[in-house]
Amino acid sequence: MTGFFREAEAFEALTTIVFPSIVKGRSPGDAIRVWVAGCSTGEEAYSIAICLMEFLSSSRHDQPVQIFATDVSDAAIETARAGTYSENITPDVSPERLRRFFSKVDRGYQISKQVRDICIFARQDLTRDPPFSRLDLISCRNVLIYLGPVLQKRVIPIFHYALKPTGFLLLGKSEAVGSFSDMFAALDRKHRIYAKKATPSLLRTDFVPIDLATAGGAAALPATATARDDLEVQREADRIVLAKYAPAGVLVNENLDIVHFRGRTGAYLEPGSGQPSLNLMRMARQGLSLELRTAIQKARRKGEPVRKEGIQLDSSGRNRIVSIEVIPLKVRTGGGRYHIVNFEEAASAPERKAAVIRPAKLRAPDREIERLKKELEATKEYLQSIIEEQNATNEELKSANEEILSSNEELSSTNEELETAKEELQATNEELTTVNEELQNRNLELSQLNNDLNNVLASANIPIVFLGPDLRVRRCTPMAEKALNLIPSDIGRRITDIKPNIHVPDLEKMVLDVIETVSLRERQVQDSEA
Ligand SMILES: C[S@@+](CC[C@H](N)C(=O)[O-])C[C@H]1O[C@@H](n2cnc3c(N)ncnc32)[C@H](O)[C@@H]1O
């Protein structure tokens, strides 16, 4: 359940605390951006729009306002877009507001164009779709309670990300930011108004695109071979029966191009002159096209079969009275709109005989007047249907435009996120380059030291062996090679595995002692030649 100015005190708090802060020091063209998340049928978004407009005009500010209102329910968004509400809203909306921001319509009130124009409605799932960005205010009231703790934890950081550094968050009476007090500071605890804190936004970016698994998916599954055979047989049977008993007719697509002929349609259709065409309107015989067009428009609009009788048709020099029936085809997989158009001779049905006979009894001028009257009537009907279709198309275009605006916002939000990620990557890259340079310098220094050490060792006339803590030989001087009987491949071997030219029975213990105590040990020893 939602309503206009639900929990009215919260709206007063917006006007006294939040809006003055939003407009403070703002440049004139800088639009105020609001997101009403989980807007249901639009009352909350329109209430905020009204409060904001009242505030701006009373405080003599002239800021543009954009209110993005989203909900996961398509039906709710449709209602919100229409902006028409029943008379039950009068207890919640003051007479002054009703006069200023609504217009009276049949059994209700419609939100005025000035309010409607600043509200953009779109379907959006808070938990799955990318958010808007650079917002001054997010109102998400009585939605978190539906989401449960896990999704709430996902949504609050999204709000933090979507707000400007000076942005505000408004929640419902029984909702709170919970454990995210590092992201939001309570500004008005009673009315659940929070101010964004300047902590880095940790936005999760695993938003998923629109779910493509549709109901048609099941229908698209391949049928088994037996089922396919049964279907073929059934279709063939239908085809034979239809060819024998069904009225002549055609199947037309969205553009009124004939995609299938059934029965003998020659009495009603003929190829037109000029370029070959299968368009029904170009093929219809004289006197039939206007009626056909009107009937198809009507069937399209209403989504139900439309029948027209007593149409006078001039075919092969013969005056005939025919009936047409247009049946919309319900195609499950959304491949466009198809219609079946059936033609019938009026004489075939007894109750239609009168229609054939009556015109015949009339005098020729009267018959002509009768025909012209009918034609005029059909033209009027056709024009009316075109006007209605045009209105519907306009509405659709308006909705599509709003969807595009909303998608645009989402894209620019994602783009900003990517920009930030790119900047972060560039910074990390910069850091890596610096560390790399540092390492290269160290490498250079090390290799110089190594060279120096090698030179010292090569020229030293003393036998020296360097051992690691594991008693493996690391390096040795040429004199040591001679004295200890070492060869280059001994580098890396344990000293105790090598049989030296000198006799030191407790060499291992001695070396371990030195390593442990880090002190010198000296011993006089004899080589094998004494
Ligand atoms: C009780 S209504 C609140 C309406 C309005 N905010 C108010 O307080 O008057 C909750 C709305 O949240 C919407 N909602 C629930 N889960 C949502 C989601 N994941 N994303 C967007 N809207 C959601 C529902 O469709 C419903 O319209």
Side-chain angles (χ1 to χ4, degrees), residues 151-425:
L151 290 179
Q152 281 176 13
K153 282 204 175 115
R154 185 181 162 91
V155 165
I156 302 280
I158 292 179
F159 289 159
H160 185 263
Y161 161 82
L163 283 169
K164 281 180 179 169
T166 52
F168 298 91
L169 173 66
L170 173 67
L171 297 180
K173 202 165 67 176
S174 50
E175 295 164 327
V177 295
S179 58
F180 293 97
S181 51
D182 56 332
M183 293 188 173
F184 290 98
L187 208 62
D188 181 337
R189 222 171 267 282
K190 185 174 170 211
H191 300 115
R192 308 290 175 183
I193 298 177
Y194 298 86
K196 173 173 170 167
K197 278 191 185 173
T199 41
S201 291
L202 300 170
L203 181 67
R204 289 179 59 172
T205 49
D206 51 338
F207 298 109
V208 292
I210 297 160
D211 193 358
L212 295 175
T214 58
L221 287 175
T224 62
T226 331
R228 256 200 316 271
D229 288 351
D230 286 352
L231 205 65
E232 281 300 308
V233 172
Q234 209 174 315
R235 276 198 191 138
E236 185 57 15
D238 286 349
R239 199 185 57 74
I240 293 168
V241 174
L242 281 173
K244 196 162 168 59
Y245 300 108
V250 289
L251 174 65
V252 293
N253 65 13
E254 185 122 17
N255 303 322
L256 302 190
D257 290 327
I258 298 170
V259 291
H260 187 80
F261 287 91
R262 206 187 46 236
R264 298 165 69 92
T265 53
Y268 315 99
L269 306 173
E270 63 177 348
S273 57
Q275 287 264 334
S277 164
L278 279 180
N279 189 277
L280 180 65
M281 290 305 126
R282 289 197 59 189
M283 290 196 73
R285 282 189 185 270
Q286 207 188 354
L288 207 55
S289 59
L290 195 61
E291 298 284 358
L292 268 174
R293 201 184 279 276
T294 319
I296 291 173
Q297 293 279 358
K298 206 165 169 182
R300 260 188 195 167
R301 207 173 54 248
K302 297 194 166 171
E304 56 188 44
V306 171
R307 190 175 174 89
K308 293 214 162 228
E309 303 196 346
I311 304 165
Q312 219 166 331
L313 180 65
D314 208 7
S315 153
S316 321
R318 206 155 62 84
N319 234 351
R320 312 161 71 181
I321 305 295
V322 298
S323 306
I324 56 171
E325 186 170 32
V326 179
I327 306 168
L329 218 61
K330 290 191 174 57
V331 186
R332 221 180 349 153
T333 45
R337 289 195 289 185
Y338 288 83
H339 290 83
I340 295 171
V341 182
N342 285 334
F343 305 99
E344 261 179 282
E345 284 269 356
S348 62
E351 70 270 22
R352 279 173 235 139
K353 264 184 186 158
V356 188
I357 295 160
R358 216 185 304 122
K361 281 184 179 169
L362 295 173
R363 289 182 304 116
D366 292 343
R367 267 210 307 273
E368 185 60 9
I369 288 170
E370 184 80 357
R371 192 184 66 75
L372 286 174
K373 266 189 187 168
K374 275 197 168 173
E375 207 169 306
L376 189 62
E377 213 172 284
T379 313
K380 265 189 188 169
E381 212 175 303
Y382 175 53
L383 272 181
Q384 183 58 31
S385 70
I386 295 237
I387 289 169
E388 280 171 19
E389 199 159 274
Q390 194 65 42
N391 283 342
T393 313
N394 277 349
E395 278 304 313
E396 274 169 22
L397 281 176
K398 215 163 135 191
S399 307
N401 193 28
E402 285 184 5
E403 294 282 351
I404 288 168
L405 275 178
S406 148
S407 308
N408 207 14
E409 281 298 325
E410 283 177 11
L411 276 179
S412 69
S413 152
T414 312
N415 199 22
E416 268 175 29
E417 183 68 12
L418 284 175
E419 286 281 331
T420 318
K422 188 179 149 204
E423 276 167 21
E424 274 170 19
L425 275 179

